Amino acid sequence: MTENTSPAPGAAFADGTADEPMLRVEDLHHSYGAGAATVHALRGVSFVVRRGELVALKGRSGSGKTTLLHLIGGLDSPRSGRVVVGRTDLSALSGSELLELRRDRIGFVFQSFGLIPILTAAENVGVPLRLRRAEPREREERVALLLALVGLAGHETQRPAELSGGQQQRVAIARALANRPALLLADEPTGQLDAATGLAVMELLRAVVRSEGVTALVATHDPHLLGLADRVLELSDGVVVEDEARTVRDPGSR
Ligand code: ADP
Ligand code: MG
């Protein structure tokens, strides 16, 4: 342990050992509204994700993908069932602990990028590091490394409006990785991009899952992107109807 480094992000949350799953979803049920207007968005979803796995979540619009990602990321609480990230049962956390888990252990990527318009690319990536009060030097080094990782070295001082959609999503991916999350959750990250840019962004996600050792769950309804996942889970009407392991083509050996 060196003196000048900040505590590891989310050190309070035990990830468990390498052979334990990174994510366990147990019989999740969720609904919106009440009475006759109740919508049953999830109707008993269970699965386990290994460390380092890239899981694609497919299913039509309305099948429950966003709801599932929100429950896994602690943005909403299920009506019943459990989400366990590492060794942390989300239902056992207080509001402030959940906030801390979301900040330090989970990275989110949204279809709409979600960058802060007045901040530069580097400042956007640095936001999660500032939130956990990382040392400025550590923050600057991590931001530079992440921007290089997503292919945006040299774009540090550009604001979102000065970047293409694909570049903005790369910034958002770098930001999501800032605190070395245990879990990366992406909700249709290529939904606003053209096909070629979307494929490049998905290939980037594939590469960072390997290089950063993160575990990722990516909702997409683009069939071309499913081939890059280790595994495809299909949701239909709030239940898992297919769970299929893929043999992933190694991008290094084409
Ligand atoms: P997907 O992301 O696969 O399109 P969602 O999780 O967004 O699916 O939606 C699942 C179901 O829940 C749909 O029937 C949707 O209309 C409904 N739903 C989602 N969010 C809300 C909400 N905030 N209020 C009411 N119904 C919702
Ligand atoms: Mg959705």
Side-chain angles (χ1 to χ4, degrees):
M1 218 149 57
T2 46
E3 288 170 276
N4 286 328
T5 39
S6 321
F13 304 105
D15 274 355
T17 57
D19 55 344
E20 292 175 40
M22 198 65 213
L23 172 67
R24 276 187 289 143
V25 170
E26 296 174 1
D27 200 22
L28 275 193
H29 287 258
H30 197 61
S31 53
Y32 298 99
T38 305
V39 176
H40 295 281
L42 296 180
R43 300 180 295 133
V45 171
S46 303
F47 60 92
V48 167
V49 179
R50 293 197 320 267
R51 271 150 219 267
E53 217 174 11
L54 170 57
V55 179
L57 199 58
K58 81 169 183 180
R60 299 186 176 182
S61 182
S63 58
K65 304 182 296 297
T66 295
T67 302
L68 179 59
L69 290 177
H70 282 185
L71 298 180
I72 292 171
L75 292 169
D76 203 353
S77 307
R79 295 292 165 108
S80 68
R82 289 207 313 167
V83 173
V84 183
V85 176
R87 287 184 179 168
T88 304
D89 179 348
L90 268 53
S91 64
L93 300 181
S94 67
S96 62
E97 286 170 329
L98 202 54
L99 203 70
E100 205 178 314
L101 178 94
R102 283 208 302 268
R103 187 191 69 197
D104 295 343
R105 304 307 296 140
I106 297 174
F108 288 97
V109 176
F110 302 99
Q111 180 173 349
S112 54
F113 320 138
L115 300 175
I116 301 173
I118 60 162
L119 299 184
T120 65
E123 287 165 347
N124 267 288
V125 176
V127 165
L129 295 155
R130 280 184 190 273
L131 288 176
R132 74 168 171 90
R133 303 183 204 288
E135 298 287 334
R137 180 141 163 252
E138 180 198 348
R139 189 179 73 230
E140 281 158 30
E141 285 175 2
R142 181 88 182 134
V143 167
L145 187 143
L146 286 164
L147 283 174
L149 180 75
V150 301
L152 287 178
H155 296 269
E156 290 77 6
T157 61
Q158 286 174 268
R159 293 195 162 70
E162 298 160 348
L163 296 167
S164 70
Q167 288 173 328
Q168 288 183 58
Q169 196 58 301
R170 286 168 184 271
V171 173
I173 291 168
R175 179 185 57 186
L177 293 169
N179 281 331
R180 305 176 195 283
L183 261 188
L184 183 66
L185 304 176
D187 195 358
E188 309 213 20
T190 65
Q192 285 190 14
L193 306 174
D194 63 69
T197 309
L199 183 60
V201 162
M202 194 67 186
E203 282 174 341
L204 172 67
L205 280 172
R206 171 74 269 175
V208 299
V209 165
R210 287 219 175 91
S211 68
E212 296 285 291
V214 72
T215 305
L217 211 57
V218 181
T220 178
H221 54 222
D222 186 337
H224 297 296
L225 304 181
L226 301 173
L228 290 167
D230 296 313
R231 181 173 159 203
V232 178
L233 279 181
E234 181 173 0
L235 277 182
S236 177
D237 266 330
V239 293
V240 175
V241 291
E242 194 188 301
D243 183 350
E244 194 183 319
R246 299 279 159 125
T247 313
V248 181
R249 177 176 52 103
D250 185 347
S253 69
R254 54 176 116 196

